[in-house]
Amino acid sequence: MAIAAKDIQQAGTANQTGQQNDEIRELTGTEIMCEVLVREGVDVLYGYPGGAIMPFYDALTSYPALHHVLTRHEQGASHAADGYARATGKVGVCVATSGPGATNLVTGLATAFMDSVPVVALTGQVARAFLGRDAFQETDILGVTQPITKHNFLVRNIEELAPIMHEAFRIARSGRPGPVLVDVPKDVQNAKAVYRADDHITSEEYLDSLAAHTQAPAQHLLLEAAELIAQAKRPIILAGHGIILSKAYAELKAFAEKTSIPVITTLLGLSAFADTHPLHIGMPGMHGPAHTNRSIGEADLLVAVGMRFDDRVTGDVKQFATRAKLIHIDIDASEIHKVKAATVPIVSDARVALTALTETVQPADRSAWLQEIRSWEAANDERGRQIKRNDDIPDPISILSAIHKETDGEAIVVSDVGQHQMWTARFYEWTRLNSHITSGGLGTMGFALPAALGVKMGMPDAPVWAVAGDGGIQMNIQELATLQQEGVTIKVAIMNNGYLGMVRQWQQFFHSRNYSETPMTGPDHVKLADAYGLKGIRVKRREDVESAVREAMETPGTVIVEFIIEPEANVYPMVAPGNGITDMIEETTVQENAENE
């Protein structure tokens, strides 16, 4: 097709303004990439330039609607895109060059894949003529990422670029979300092709069309589920990440209140249902409170919504909820029956299914069942109060309580991985919806700092706290420079115990206190903060915890607060590997044994 000079001139005008138009245009591959990003509603992307992606960066300056954040490591870019996506529900975008740039995205893509987070990764690749020749910085990134992406593409033809880019966003957002990678050879980026915006449906338009035809689950399944619920004396709702992904907060609340069924939220389901709601009874699994795990053991029905029965939830699955029938609602059919056989399997979006199920069930009074659970909780709390504690040094509960108090519960808390992650999950009071963000399935240390950057850029009006240990914080600490350069304000709480704490805890219980390679040193975090042009605070006394958190909140810009906590503090209760979740190591038992030795 011949392209008139005036059409090419219009394309130039569109590039300068960063605005799309529907004229027929001849554009370079990189301009097409930018046009698609704008049409898909992308406003921020995280990345790091290099040789094979350089043409894209050259075009990017002509698209002011696309704000690029130069992270200090590609892993930081992938986690930032992940955090942005979790906080906003939009697709997060990260960019890297070929070879080591692309492979540095792998951990972040695996993190997003395990937790069903919509991310699109754009990677440069060597020119097509060099593919398969071990060219400089050539890596088969499709082969590398195939197991950890929902889909991936190598663009072999410039005419395929726009359709593939839009398809990547559709795949990332639709159904069970997940990461998608698009690998674009350098010569495809530099090639030219005809581009007309209205030839390509965006992912938003596509999903809107799907939503218009979304049907409720089959009526016979709804009736079967309603019958099980009506018969149940001790039912439990297990609410997972799917509630947050589908934004089914109101639907979950309405269903729970109509049926009076107690609600348990998984690690990634925390903040989908307020901790302060009378029906909420905690988090399940390896570090779930005793009364929560016991309630699963005593339940006669589980209504599992948007959760996949991870092994950290179930423990020994043969001992998990042995008395209970199961209604399992999940958008991904492959999750049904995978770990736990469902009595009533419902493949559906959580919001659609809960709406239909709420309309089908009858109201019920289960106050006696809830009261029984609360009596177990009260007994556990009373035993906990008998334990002797060191009240002089900061402890995790006091730190988390201070953050909640100073932010009026409105903070979005991004936790890293380790003991502090479990303390945060257990003892922070989740009252703001979708305020708990962490790496669940992959358990990625180094996640919190860059993810918090993405969270804050996606939710600029919310206070954002990153909570990390002294081990994990060092894995991507270079992103403090990104925060400073971007002028992004987050607050960072480091729980410093001088150990790789969770590994040390396992060594204590299962390896006779053989603390092999878990004691560790780190930098002076106050001096380090100053080196990055930021504020640093160190807290050694519990009485100073609240004032330090208040000072951090009142100080402009990013602030690092280092809390020196007890070196051998443990997370309780704990389920030993291979045990059922009702067979727990409890703090009271450990202390009694220690006193008897």
Side-chain angles (χ1 to χ4, degrees):
M1 177 185 289
I3 305 297
K6 66 176 182 178
D7 294 323
I8 296 175
Q9 183 177 8
Q10 287 171 337
T13 302
N15 290 349
Q16 292 299 318
T17 61
Q19 300 298 316
Q20 64 193 55
N21 64 53
D22 291 340
E23 298 296 327
I24 301 173
R25 294 170 282 159
E26 187 177 54
L27 301 178
T28 66
T30 55
E31 290 168 337
I32 291 172
M33 293 168 73
C34 291
E35 291 280 346
V36 171
L37 292 175
V38 171
R39 278 180 52 77
E40 289 290 349
V42 175
D43 52 10
V44 62
L45 53 160
Y46 304 88
Y48 203 97
I53 196 65
M54 202 175 298
F56 173 78
Y57 277 88
D58 185 58
L60 193 60
T61 59
S62 297
Y63 287 81
L66 299 172
H67 176 63
H68 181 272
V69 176
L70 177 65
T71 57
R72 297 310 189 259
H73 192 285
E74 291 90 351
Q75 184 180 343
S78 60
H79 290 325
D82 181 322
Y84 175 89
R86 295 188 200 226
T88 64
K90 301 177 183 178
V91 177
V93 179
C94 55
V95 186
T97 193
S98 63
T103 59
N104 281 343
L105 295 177
V106 165
T107 299
L109 293 177
T111 302
F113 181 72
M114 289 289 283
D115 290 350
S116 304
V117 180
V119 170
V120 167
L122 305 176
T123 54
Q125 184 55 275
V126 300
R128 288 171 290 179
F130 294 100
L131 288 171
R133 297 187 178 184
D134 295 330
F136 177 68
Q137 291 193 334
E138 180 194 1
T139 299
D140 176 12
I141 196 62
L142 263 66
V144 171
T145 61
Q146 183 178 9
I148 56 166
T149 53
K150 195 175 176 186
H151 198 75
N152 58 20
F153 298 92
L154 172 63
V155 184
R156 295 183 178 273
N157 190 302
I158 181 65
E159 280 74 24
E160 300 174 346
L161 180 58
I164 284 176
M165 287 278 291
H166 284 297
E167 181 69 5
F169 278 85
R170 283 195 288 271
I171 293 172
R173 293 183 62 198
S174 61
R176 180 179 183 171
V180 179
L181 182 137
V182 182
D183 198 33
V184 189
K186 191 170 184 179
D187 59 324
V188 174
Q189 296 176 52
N190 287 323
K192 290 188 176 181
V194 173
Y195 176 77
R196 180 169 181 152
D198 61 5
D199 284 343
H200 305 287
I201 184 171
T202 68
S203 59
E204 184 175 3
E205 293 166 338
Y206 173 74
L207 292 178
D208 284 346
S209 68
L210 284 183
H213 298 91
T214 299
Q215 295 182 344
Q219 186 65 23
H220 75 277
L221 292 175
L222 292 173
L223 292 174
E224 288 176 25
E227 180 63 22
L228 287 180
I229 292 168
Q231 294 173 356
K233 303 298 182 184
R234 295 184 166 196
I236 291 289
I237 295 170
L238 290 174
H241 196 204
I243 298 295
I244 293 172
L245 293 173
S246 66
K247 297 181 173 60
Y249 311 114
E251 290 76 12
L252 173 62
K253 183 172 181 285
F255 173 69
E257 290 179 346
K258 185 174 182 180
T259 58
S260 300
I261 300 178
V263 178
I264 293 173
T265 42
T266 67
L267 177 66
L268 292 182
L270 291 172
S271 72
F273 192 85
D275 283 9
T276 52
H277 193 285
L279 288 171
H280 188 260
I281 58 170
M283 179 187 82
M286 178 173 281
H287 295 292
H291 72 278
T292 305
N293 286 343
R294 184 176 177 182
S295 70
I296 294 173
E298 297 289 336
D300 58 9
L301 176 67
L302 299 181
V303 183
V305 189
M307 57 88 66
R308 58 188 179 86
F309 294 99
D310 178 83
D311 60 286
R312 291 298 175 95
V313 168
T314 65
D316 178 9
V317 72
K318 293 180 181 178
Q319 301 181 54
F320 180 80
T322 57
R323 305 179 183 184
K325 295 180 180 179
L326 172 62
I327 299 167
H328 193 181
I329 301 169
D330 202 287
I331 199 168
D332 185 352
S334 71
E335 291 297 340
I336 305 293
H337 305 306
K338 186 168 78 175
V339 177
K340 189 79 175 172
T343 313
V344 179
I346 298 177
V347 179
S348 174
D349 173 80
R351 184 162 55 175
V352 172
L354 285 173
T355 298
L357 193 54
T358 303
E359 294 173 352
T360 308
V361 298
Q362 296 299 316
D365 178 12
R366 294 187 169 91
S367 56
W369 169 225
L370 181 62
Q371 185 177 355
E372 186 175 10
I373 296 172
R374 293 302 182 198
S375 70
W376 302 335
E377 181 181 21
N380 291 334
D381 290 346
E382 180 58 32
R383 286 196 298 272
R385 281 190 285 269
Q386 306 304 316
I387 295 174
K388 300 174 184 177
R389 303 186 186 278
N390 185 340
D391 294 329
D392 296 329
I393 62 176
D395 75 303
I397 298 176
S398 67
I399 295 165
L400 296 165
S401 296
I403 293 173
H404 190 278
K405 178 181 178 181
E406 292 299 323
T407 61
D408 294 324
E410 287 300 307
I412 300 177
V413 180
V414 187
S415 65
D416 214 85
V417 171
Q419 287 180 310
H420 66 276
Q421 179 190 34
M422 293 297 102
W423 284 320
T424 302
R426 282 284 315 282
F427 299 114
Y428 189 85
E429 189 174 71
W430 305 105
T431 49
R432 175 179 176 145
L433 295 176
N434 195 23
S435 58
H436 174 252
I437 292 176
T438 194
S439 169
L442 197 65
T444 306
M445 292 177 69
F447 172 82
L449 190 63
L453 163 68
V455 169
K456 183 64 177 181
M457 295 190 75
M459 305 291 287
D461 295 331
V464 175
W465 276 83
V467 180
D470 50 316
I473 193 66
Q474 296 184 61
M475 290 193 172
N476 277 309
I477 201 153
Q478 74 283 342
E479 300 310 331
L480 289 174
T482 309
L483 288 158
Q484 198 276 341
Q485 180 173 313
E486 287 289 321
V488 173
T489 293
I490 68 169
K491 312 302 178 182
V492 184
I494 300 173
M495 297 187 189
N496 188 348
N497 58 8
Y499 281 101
L500 293 175
M502 188 60 83
V503 183
R504 183 214 58 76
Q505 179 170 334
W506 280 51
Q507 289 173 334
Q508 175 183 338
F509 291 143
F510 311 123
H511 297 276
S512 304
R513 293 184 183 268
N514 181 19
Y515 294 161
S516 175
E517 298 305 318
T518 47
M520 68 182 306
T521 61
D524 182 320
H525 291 99
V526 175
K527 291 182 179 178
L528 185 68
D530 184 63
Y532 280 108
L534 306 172
K535 171 76 172 178
I537 303 170
R538 181 176 295 109
V539 184
K540 294 184 177 181
R541 300 185 304 175
R542 187 179 302 188
E543 63 189 54
D544 297 329
V545 168
E546 284 195 13
S547 60
V549 172
R550 187 177 308 114
E551 181 181 356
M553 290 298 298
E554 294 174 349
T555 301
T558 293
V559 179
I560 298 174
V561 189
E562 179 187 39
F563 298 94
I564 309 301
I565 68 171
E566 182 183 343
E568 293 190 85
N570 289 323
V571 180
Y572 293 105
M574 180 180 183
V575 177
N579 287 1
I581 60 168
T582 56
D583 184 8
M584 293 161 279
I585 300 171
E586 299 203 48
E587 187 174 13
T588 49
T589 304
V590 172
Q591 178 157 322
E592 288 168 2
N593 291 341
E595 291 173 351
N596 293 331
E597 289 179 356

